[in-house]
Amino acid sequence: MRVLLTGAAGFIGSHIHRALTAAGHEVIAVDLMLPAAHGFDATPPPGVSVLDVRDPDALDVHLRGIDAVCHQAAVVGAGVSAQDAPAYAAHNDLGTAVLLAAMDRAHCRHLVLASSMVVYGEGRYRDTAADFIPGPRDRADLDRGVFDHRSASGDALDWIPIDESAALHPRSLYAASKVAQEHYALAWATATSSTVTALRYHNVYGDDMPRDTPYSGVAAIFRSSLEAGESPRVFEDGCQARDFVHVRDIAAANVAALEQPLAAFTPLNIASGHPITIGEVASILATASGGKPPVVTGDYRSGDVRHIVASPEKARHALGFTAAITPADGLADFAHAPLRAAAATGAPTWR
C-alpha cells in the first residue's frame, strides 16, 4: 500500500514508519515538527516532509494515490493547564477534521487513528451489585490519602479489565480531544462508507521516548530521575494499576490495522495484557539501572484516575494482534534504552 503517515517524526510515528517500510509498504511520511515536541529549529529526519494537517491544500497534494492514512499527529500529554485547551482542539480535533475532509476529496477510504485509553476516564470496577465505572474521586479523600474507590460499606473496590464497549468519560484536555477525534472519525466513516480503526493505546514506552517534560509519560520521567541520581517519585500509594505496552508492539498493531480494514468504525484496546502498578514500574526501572529505590510520596495529580487496565481480547480476535513484549522485560530493557535528546520548549501553541 501507499500509506500517508502523519506525526512520522514523533516517538510512536518513527517506529511505525520503520515497521511499515519493513513490511514492504510505501510510506509518505509527514510531521509539523512542533517545537513543544521536537524543540525549536528542529529539522525533520530523512524521508519526512513538513506538513500541517490543518492545511487542506498541502493535504490534497500528499493524498494523491494514497491507499490508507495512519494518523499519529497530535499534541499529547494530559495538559498542564487550562491554557493548553486551544492547542489540543486545534491540532488534534481541527487537524483530524481537515484530514478527514481531504481524505474524502481524495477518495481515500481507510483510516487508522491513534486514540488512547484516556477516552475511558476511570477504569471499570466490580461491586457486589454490578460492574461499573465510578465518577471522579473526591479531592477531600485524596487529601486524606484515601486513593481507592470504595463501596457503600467502605471497602476498596477491585478493578476489572475495561473493554471497548465502555462509555467514554474524558477527564483531561488531551482525553477530550481524543474523544472528539473518535467522534469525527465515526461520523466520517458513516457519511463516506469508509473504514476507521481507532487504536486506543495504553501506556506506551520504549526507545526514542522523549525525556522528562511536563507532557512525558511516567516511565520517561522515572528514567530521568534515576539518571540524575535521584529516586523516582511515585504518586499516591504506588498501587495504581495500568497496562504498559512497548512502542514496537504499538507499531505492529498499526501495521496489522492498516493491512486488515475492519467494520466502519472499530475501536481496539492496544495493550500488553499484563497489568502492572506504577510502583512496580518505578521499582523495575530502579533495579535495572542500579539507581535509588522509588519514594512513594502520597502526592496526587488532579484528574488522575486510580486504575485503568485494558482487555486486549478484541484486538486479538479482530486483528490477530497480541503484544510480544511484557512490561517486566520491556521496562528492564527500557532502563538502558536511548531517549530523545530534544526536550520540550514550553506548552504547545495553536496558531
Side-chain angles (χ1 to χ4, degrees), residues 205-206 246 248 284-285 325-337:
Y205 69 98
H246 198 280
R248 290 199 294 275
I284 289 171
L285 291 171
I325 303 170
T326 65
D329 293 336
L331 287 165
D333 290 341
F334 178 66
H336 304 284

Side-chain angles (χ1 to χ4, degrees), residues 11 204-211 217-224 226-227 244 246-248 281 284-285 288-289 325-340:
F11 162 49
V204 187
Y205 69 98
D207 45 294
D208 204 33
M209 196 173 184
R211 289 185 178 275
V218 67
I221 294 172
F222 288 163
R223 265 281 310 262
S224 294
L226 289 162
E227 289 177 351
F244 278 71
H246 198 280
V247 68
R248 290 199 294 275
V281 171
I284 289 171
L285 291 171
S289 65
I325 303 170
T326 65
D329 293 336
L331 287 165
D333 290 341
F334 178 66
H336 304 284
L339 299 183
R340 291 195 168 213

Side-chain angles (χ1 to χ4, degrees), residues 39-130:
F40 284 120
D41 301 320
T43 57
V48 178
S49 301
V50 176
L51 181 142
D52 188 336
V53 294
R54 299 170 298 177
D55 182 344
D57 294 333
L59 283 172
D60 286 343
V61 172
H62 282 79
L63 279 165
R64 291 172 186 159
I66 292 295
D67 299 305
V69 173
C70 185
H71 185 32
Q72 305 295 315
V75 172
V76 299
V80 174
S81 79
Q83 298 307 307
D84 291 337
Y88 286 99
H91 291 286
N92 298 1
D93 302 332
L94 176 61
T96 298
V98 174
L99 173 63
L100 293 170
M103 289 178 67
D104 180 50
R105 291 192 298 274
H107 305 288
C108 181
R109 299 299 182 208
H110 182 37
L111 173 70
V112 174
L113 173 66
S115 188
S116 171
M117 67 173 188
V118 296
V119 299
Y120 297 120
E122 272 287 352
R124 181 171 281 157
Y125 293 78
R126 175 169 291 137
D127 201 353
T128 53

Side-chain angles (χ1 to χ4, degrees), residues 8-349:
F11 162 49
I12 294 174
S14 59
H15 281 269
I16 295 172
H17 192 180
R18 288 191 289 272
L20 283 170
T21 302
H25 301 296
E26 180 183 355
V27 182
I28 311 303
V30 299
D31 198 296
L32 182 54
M33 304 301 295
L34 276 173
H38 300 281
F40 284 120
D41 301 320
T43 57
V48 178
S49 301
V50 176
L51 181 142
D52 188 336
V53 294
R54 299 170 298 177
D55 182 344
D57 294 333
L59 283 172
D60 286 343
V61 172
H62 282 79
L63 279 165
R64 291 172 186 159
I66 292 295
D67 299 305
V69 173
C70 185
H71 185 32
Q72 305 295 315
V75 172
V76 299
V80 174
S81 79
Q83 298 307 307
D84 291 337
Y88 286 99
H91 291 286
N92 298 1
D93 302 332
L94 176 61
T96 298
V98 174
L99 173 63
L100 293 170
M103 289 178 67
D104 180 50
R105 291 192 298 274
H107 305 288
C108 181
R109 299 299 182 208
H110 182 37
L111 173 70
V112 174
L113 173 66
S115 188
S116 171
M117 67 173 188
V118 296
V119 299
Y120 297 120
E122 272 287 352
R124 181 171 281 157
Y125 293 78
R126 175 169 291 137
D127 201 353
T128 53
D131 298 342
F132 75 109
I133 297 175
R137 293 176 291 175
D138 184 83
R139 187 180 291 271
D141 287 339
L142 297 173
D143 287 339
R144 293 186 294 112
V146 178
F147 301 119
D148 281 310
H149 292 285
R150 297 188 176 271
S151 67
S153 61
D155 296 327
L157 294 175
D158 293 328
W159 61 264
I160 59 174
I162 196 163
D163 63 29
E164 293 83 354
S165 68
L168 307 185
H169 294 288
R171 294 183 184 170
S172 70
L173 297 173
Y174 175 59
S177 75
K178 300 310 281 187
V179 169
Q181 278 187 309
E182 287 200 14
H183 286 169
Y184 275 114
L186 170 58
W188 172 82
T190 302
T192 63
S193 299
S194 300
T195 58
V196 175
T197 305
L199 302 180
R200 293 174 178 169
Y201 305 157
H202 285 248
N203 294 73
V204 187
Y205 69 98
D207 45 294
D208 204 33
M209 196 173 184
R211 289 185 178 275
D212 185 14
T213 81
Y215 301 89
S216 292
V218 67
I221 294 172
F222 288 163
R223 265 281 310 262
S224 294
S225 296
L226 289 162
E227 289 177 351
E230 302 169 355
S231 293
R233 293 177 57 82
V234 179
F235 283 3
E236 301 187 16
D237 57 3
C239 295
Q240 310 93 299
R242 299 289 189 271
D243 190 303
F244 278 71
V245 57
H246 198 280
V247 68
R248 290 199 294 275
D249 283 322
I250 293 288
N254 275 272
V255 173
L258 285 161
E259 293 177 344
Q260 302 175 60
L262 301 173
F265 180 84
T266 305
L268 298 174
N269 286 326
I270 303 300
S272 74
H274 296 272
I276 190 170
T277 67
I278 296 297
E280 288 172 329
V281 171
S283 294
I284 289 171
L285 291 171
T287 299
S289 65
K292 291 183 177 179
V295 172
V296 177
T297 66
D299 296 335
Y300 66 89
R301 295 189 307 179
S302 179
D304 274 0
V305 301
R306 180 56 173 170
H307 304 298
I308 175 72
V309 173
S311 168
E313 288 305 302
K314 188 175 178 181
R316 184 172 67 85
H317 288 292
L319 293 179
F321 169 77
T322 300
I325 303 170
T326 65
D329 293 336
L331 287 165
D333 290 341
F334 178 66
H336 304 284
L339 299 183
R340 291 195 168 213
T345 54
T349 57

